[in-house]
Amino acid sequence: MLLTDRQVLILQVIVDDFIRSAQPIGSRSLSKKEEINFSSATIRNEMADLEDMGFIEKTHTSSGRIPSEKGYRFYVDHLLLPEKLNHTDMAAIKSIFAERIYELEKIVQKSAKILSEMTNYTSIVLGPAVKDNRLRKLQIVPLNKDTAIAIIVTDTGHVENRMFHFPTSVDPSDVEKMVNILNERLAGVPLTNLNSKIYKEIAVLLRHHISSYDTLLNTITDTLNMPANEKVFFGGKTNILSQPEFNDVEKIRSLMNMIEQEDGIYQLLRKNQAGINIKIGTENDNSAMENCSLITASYSMGQEKLGTIAILGPTRMEYSRVISLLQLISTDLSKVLTELYQNK
Amino acid sequence: MLLTDRQVLILQVIVDDFIRSAQPIGSRSLSKKEEINFSSATIRNEMADLEDMGFIEKTHTSSGRIPSEKGYRFYVDHLLLPEKLNHTDMAAIKSIFAERIYELEKIVQKSAKILSEMTNYTSIVLGPAVKDNRLRKLQIVPLNKDTAIAIIVTDTGHVENRMFHFPTSVDPSDVEKMVNILNERLAGVPLTNLNSKIYKEIAVLLRHHISSYDTLLNTITDTLNMPANEKVFFGGKTNILSQPEFNDVEKIRSLMNMIEQEDGIYQLLRKNQAGINIKIGTENDNSAMENCSLITASYSMGQEKLGTIAILGPTRMEYSRVISLLQLISTDLSKVLTELYQNK
DNA sequence: ATTAGCACTCGTTCTTATAGAGTGCTAACA
DNA sequence: TGTTAGCACTCTATAAGAACGAGTGCTAAT
């Protein structure tokens, strides 16, 4: 059941060629390739075997072969040689970090944009998970007598804000006192732990100092309870539409629909491990992704995994190139983020 | 050159029918309509005249007629009776404002979502122009020894933030002093005027109080110089793809491309007057919009125009319904926003 | 084990035929 | 003079058939 060297060679050439041309490959055109020194008849026999084993398939009875998902999987697992990136590519990636950008989100967004331009596929980036950030500062800015804005600044410079109403009975100076106490006690605490920490350790303290602390505290903890899912950024959303496999209106509709529905994308991306992940076609468990592959890479700050950067392309995508790009970009990104936020 | 009553009637029935069916309408099927009491031959004569005048056209020599842009224009200008919205629609719109949402942007986003769901077209909302807001509070939160975040809160509760670096030579207490002075002097000033006001009136004052005020001031004014274009929100981006006129991959591509490129959309929307605007097909001056109409309505806070809410659909869209919806939603939106932010 | 040869299959493209929807024009009618 | 019935004509959509070519699977020879 193992593939012979010759079968592997044929499979490799088929996948490589199909990735380039998007056309089924026949035995005759295969036999003309440089790498291949045996006749088309031999190739036909080998192809029949490869097809029996499920690595390639026909589009109709007398057509040439195209790789199956299993074929791509084998290709990705065993035949992939990391592509040497050329100077233009390297330069493009370096350019992401050339400008001095300080906001984490902006860097991440720019990465997505450049990546999509370089590959002509669609790039997706899962922004840093805010909930793991630590509180730097909480501020309350009153807007009018019963409305105020709570602003949270995290250690990575992320700013979240939410408007809230409070009972007019609350004394403004109480609010100020409360914010001061909270800031003293909560600086450096991860956002996810804020509320539990408030109730466990600080509620008692507050009760001593503040008269109507009950309603106020409830309002504020409600407010702090932010959804704070990772944000999803896209680059080149429509790029994938120019791939020849998407010349069918129905396919475009279902894919675009999925892309627009951020939740689906989020589910698709979040379950990936650290490092490079490759999901081919139905491996994505999503009917709209049947003809698509998703390659993801994680980026991190120091030891901590921050987010995911991904390329969405047709199953017939340039795996080698995309993987090299993602690898480079994710390590660079991690390096820059670590320098920028970690050691200061 | 004026249309006779009968020609108007025929034009109206053609447009109404085509909006429903998306099929060319022939003289015979027209003659069967209730409203129409003359023979198909008569109708053919009238249609020939309407075509000569440019109100309707044929898709090929022996096809039925469809409205031309001029036909739609006449329909919109003279034949449109405002549609009575039914209870379901009214309820859906009211539901936008049912929940207590406080953030302006959220309300606006929810409007876009509901609107697209009700119409099955794509909705676009131009968010409130931040640059016209007035400064409520400026805050600087230091992140580490040479990085800080400037946070601006406006009177409508909008929060803008930007990270910046400053020379390590700057004294932290100077920063604080400066922020205090700026807050005292700049509260209530429209964001667009911040910088000029700083240089005209406050620079002198600052020089007296702060040692290295030069670099610091430059950094801060740079930071305040935010782009602050109106934000663009979408609802149902892919809805329009399910319209039968978009069964062509090339059309989908060009339209999706335009939608993704926020700048184009922004240009399309911003030039509209207050009130309801209707742009049909090529009136939009955009090749991707050839088969689309754009209906916009402005919303405001008190007397001040804040933003635009729009529906993008095929030229064959339900003008009457969409206009009624937009009118209702924009007045409701204006009312709520005015109540929420103006008189407090 | 490999390969040349050949019959066969199927998609693509082009042509031809047919049905149907709709038009424009003419002539008759009220 | 405005309206209508009738008819020839046009064009699309659809189906069916023919020719072509790319490719296969199988057999027999090397």
Side-chain angles (χ1 to χ4, degrees):
Chain A
M1 188 56 188
L2 263 183
L3 296 186
T4 66
D5 284 357
R6 194 164 67 188
Q7 287 170 333
V8 169
L9 174 63
I10 288 175
L11 179 56
Q12 169 131 39
V13 176
I14 288 177
V15 178
D16 279 335
D17 197 82
F18 187 67
I19 285 178
R20 261 198 326 97
S21 69
Q23 296 298 325
I25 297 104
S27 58
R28 217 177 107 74
S29 64
L30 259 189
S31 71
K32 287 187 193 144
K33 299 260 171 189
E34 250 185 23
E35 312 89 300
I36 289 185
N37 303 307
F38 27 93
S39 74
S40 63
T42 311
I43 295 172
R44 279 200 288 284
N45 290 330
E46 295 288 30
M47 291 209 291
D49 290 348
L50 281 170
E51 185 174 3
D52 284 345
M53 290 185 282
F55 290 103
I56 54 181
E57 41 191 48
K58 292 189 259 193
T59 58
H60 57 88
T61 26
S62 72
S63 79
R65 306 307 212 288
I66 63 174
S68 66
E69 275 184 25
K70 187 175 173 188
Y72 283 122
R73 176 46 67 195
F74 186 89
Y75 177 84
V76 160
D77 288 342
H78 303 112
L79 304 179
L80 222 50
L81 25 153
E83 182 173 304
K84 268 285 217 194
L85 296 176
N86 64 30
H87 284 312
T88 328
D89 288 344
M90 302 285 273
I93 290 182
K94 295 302 174 198
S95 81
I96 300 175
F97 311 102
E99 259 183 83
R100 294 223 77 183
I101 314 180
Y102 305 118
E103 266 109 317
L104 211 162
E105 280 193 3
K106 293 248 172 75
I107 300 180
V108 160
Q109 257 177 297
K110 192 170 172 192
S111 305
K113 181 157 172 287
I114 298 261
L115 199 49
S116 70
E117 282 165 9
M118 293 176 73
T119 57
N120 254 309
Y121 303 131
T122 299
S123 69
I124 311 173
V125 181
L126 217 53
V130 177
K131 63 181 195 302
D132 295 332
N133 290 7
R134 290 154 188 284
L135 182 72
R136 166 76 49 165
K137 189 101 184 173
L138 164 69
Q139 299 201 306
I140 306 270
V141 176
L143 276 188
N144 53 50
K145 61 181 184 304
D146 64 349
T147 317
I149 298 184
I151 300 175
I152 290 176
V153 183
T154 72
D155 54 349
T156 60
H158 181 86
V159 176
E160 282 274 346
N161 65 280
R162 166 120 8 138
M163 202 181 283
F164 67 96
H165 283 220
F166 50 81
T168 43
S169 63
V170 172
D171 183 346
S173 76
D174 272 359
V175 176
E176 206 173 312
K177 249 191 273 177
M178 183 161 199
V179 169
N180 285 336
I181 294 176
L182 289 175
N183 266 316
E184 264 169 44
R185 297 293 168 142
L186 294 179
V189 174
L191 297 195
T192 21
N193 301 349
L194 282 184
N195 274 343
S196 75
K197 179 128 181 167
I198 288 178
Y199 281 113
K200 274 191 211 141
E201 304 180 20
I202 308 181
V204 190
L205 187 66
L206 287 173
R207 181 152 26 181
H208 286 145
H209 291 80
I210 292 168
S211 51
S212 61
Y213 103 106
D214 236 17
T215 40
L216 190 53
L217 188 61
N218 279 333
T219 315
I220 287 191
T221 51
D222 260 15
T223 305
L224 291 184
N225 220 350
M226 311 215 156
N229 255 356
E230 292 93 326
K231 273 202 195 140
V232 182
F233 302 101
F234 285 89
K237 265 186 192 175
T238 58
N239 280 7
I240 199 170
L241 299 190
S242 54
Q243 296 294 333
E245 26 271 279
F246 287 90
N247 52 7
D248 172 14
V249 181
E250 217 23 74
K251 276 185 199 150
I252 292 186
R253 259 177 224 154
S254 84
L255 187 65
M256 279 288 127
N257 253 320
M258 197 213 51
I259 288 182
E260 285 311 321
Q261 214 189 331
E262 299 219 332
D263 206 53
I265 291 285
Y266 181 68
Q267 293 310 324
L268 225 50
L269 287 187
R270 65 170 316 210
K271 55 189 167 195
N272 287 301
Q273 317 275 317
I276 299 270
N277 286 272
I278 303 175
K279 291 250 188 266
I280 298 165
T282 58
E283 293 174 9
N284 287 293
D285 277 335
N286 185 319
S287 64
M289 296 272 291
E290 258 177 13
N291 304 294
C292 297
S293 283
L294 185 72
I295 307 187
T296 65
S298 57
Y299 62 91
S300 50
M301 187 166 80
Q303 296 306 311
E304 181 191 9
K305 182 188 162 194
L306 270 196
T308 303
I309 181 161
I311 285 284
L312 171 65
T315 44
R316 187 188 61 73
M317 84 158 97
E318 296 178 81
Y319 292 93
S320 173
R321 178 170 149 74
V322 168
I323 290 172
S324 300
L325 284 174
L326 278 177
Q327 227 146 21
L328 183 56
I329 226 168
S330 69
T331 48
D332 277 13
L333 196 54
S334 300
K335 213 185 302 169
V336 169
L337 295 182
T338 306
E339 274 171 27
L340 213 50
Y341 298 107
Q342 188 104 105
N343 307 315
K344 294 198 186 176
Chain B
M1 189 60 187
L2 263 182
L3 295 186
T4 65
D5 283 357
R6 193 164 67 188
Q7 287 171 334
V8 170
L9 175 63
I10 289 175
L11 178 56
Q12 168 129 39
V13 175
I14 289 176
V15 177
D16 280 336
D17 197 81
F18 187 66
I19 285 178
R20 263 198 324 98
S21 70
Q23 296 297 326
I25 298 105
S27 57
R28 216 178 108 72
S29 64
L30 259 189
S31 72
K32 287 186 194 146
K33 299 262 171 185
E34 250 185 27
E35 313 87 301
I36 288 184
N37 301 308
F38 26 93
S39 74
S40 63
T42 310
I43 295 172
R44 279 200 290 284
N45 289 330
E46 296 287 29
M47 290 208 294
D49 290 348
L50 280 170
E51 185 175 3
D52 284 345
M53 290 185 282
F55 289 102
I56 55 180
E57 41 191 49
K58 292 189 260 194
T59 58
H60 58 87
T61 26
S62 71
S63 79
R65 305 306 212 289
I66 62 173
S68 67
E69 274 185 24
K70 188 176 171 187
Y72 283 122
R73 177 44 70 193
F74 185 91
Y75 177 85
V76 161
D77 288 342
H78 303 112
L79 304 179
L80 220 53
L81 24 154
E83 183 172 303
K84 268 287 218 191
L85 296 174
N86 64 31
H87 284 314
T88 328
D89 289 343
M90 303 284 275
I93 290 182
K94 295 302 173 197
S95 82
I96 301 174
F97 310 103
E99 259 183 84
R100 293 224 78 184
I101 313 178
Y102 305 118
E103 268 110 320
L104 212 163
E105 280 193 3
K106 292 247 173 75
I107 300 180
V108 160
Q109 257 177 297
K110 192 169 173 193
S111 305
K113 181 155 172 288
I114 299 263
L115 201 48
S116 71
E117 282 166 8
M118 293 175 73
T119 58
N120 255 309
Y121 302 131
T122 298
S123 70
I124 311 172
V125 182
L126 216 55
V130 177
K131 65 180 192 306
D132 295 332
N133 290 6
R134 290 153 188 285
L135 182 72
R136 165 77 51 168
K137 189 103 186 171
L138 163 70
Q139 301 202 307
I140 307 270
V141 177
L143 276 187
N144 54 49
K145 62 180 182 307
D146 64 350
T147 316
I149 298 183
I151 300 176
I152 289 177
V153 183
T154 73
D155 54 350
T156 60
H158 181 86
V159 177
E160 282 274 346
N161 65 281
R162 167 125 2 142
M163 202 182 283
F164 67 96
H165 283 218
F166 51 81
T168 44
S169 62
V170 173
D171 182 346
S173 76
D174 273 357
V175 176
E176 207 173 312
K177 249 191 274 177
M178 182 160 201
V179 169
N180 284 337
I181 294 177
L182 289 176
N183 266 316
E184 265 169 43
R185 297 291 168 146
L186 294 179
V189 174
L191 296 195
T192 21
N193 303 348
L194 282 184
N195 274 345
S196 75
K197 179 130 182 164
I198 289 179
Y199 280 112
K200 275 194 210 139
E201 306 180 19
I202 309 180
V204 190
L205 187 68
L206 289 172
R207 180 150 28 179
H208 286 145
H209 292 80
I210 293 165
S211 50
S212 61
Y213 103 108
D214 237 16
T215 39
L216 189 53
L217 189 60
N218 279 334
T219 315
I220 287 191
T221 52
D222 260 15
T223 306
L224 291 184
N225 219 351
M226 310 214 158
N229 254 354
E230 291 95 327
K231 273 201 195 143
V232 182
F233 302 101
F234 284 89
K237 265 188 193 172
T238 58
N239 280 7
I240 199 170
L241 300 189
S242 53
Q243 295 295 333
E245 25 272 279
F246 287 89
N247 52 8
D248 171 14
V249 180
E250 217 25 72
K251 277 187 200 150
I252 292 186
R253 259 176 224 154
S254 84
L255 188 65
M256 279 288 126
N257 254 319
M258 197 214 49
I259 288 183
E260 285 312 321
Q261 213 187 331
E262 299 219 335
D263 207 53
I265 292 285
Y266 182 67
Q267 293 310 325
L268 225 50
L269 287 187
R270 64 169 316 210
K271 54 188 168 194
N272 287 301
Q273 317 276 318
I276 300 271
N277 286 270
I278 304 174
K279 291 249 189 265
I280 299 165
T282 58
E283 293 174 9
N284 287 295
D285 277 334
N286 185 317
S287 65
M289 296 273 290
E290 258 178 12
N291 305 294
C292 297
S293 284
L294 185 72
I295 308 186
T296 64
S298 56
Y299 61 91
S300 50
M301 188 167 79
Q303 295 306 312
E304 181 192 10
K305 182 186 161 192
L306 270 194
T308 302
I309 181 160
I311 286 286
L312 170 65
T315 44
R316 188 188 62 73
M317 86 158 94
E318 296 180 81
Y319 292 94
S320 173
R321 181 172 148 75
V322 168
I323 289 172
S324 300
L325 285 173
L326 277 177
Q327 227 147 21
L328 183 57
I329 227 168
S330 68
T331 47
D332 277 13
L333 196 54
S334 300
K335 213 185 301 169
V336 169
L337 295 183
T338 306
E339 273 171 27
L340 214 50
Y341 298 108
Q342 187 103 102
N343 307 313
K344 293 198 185 174

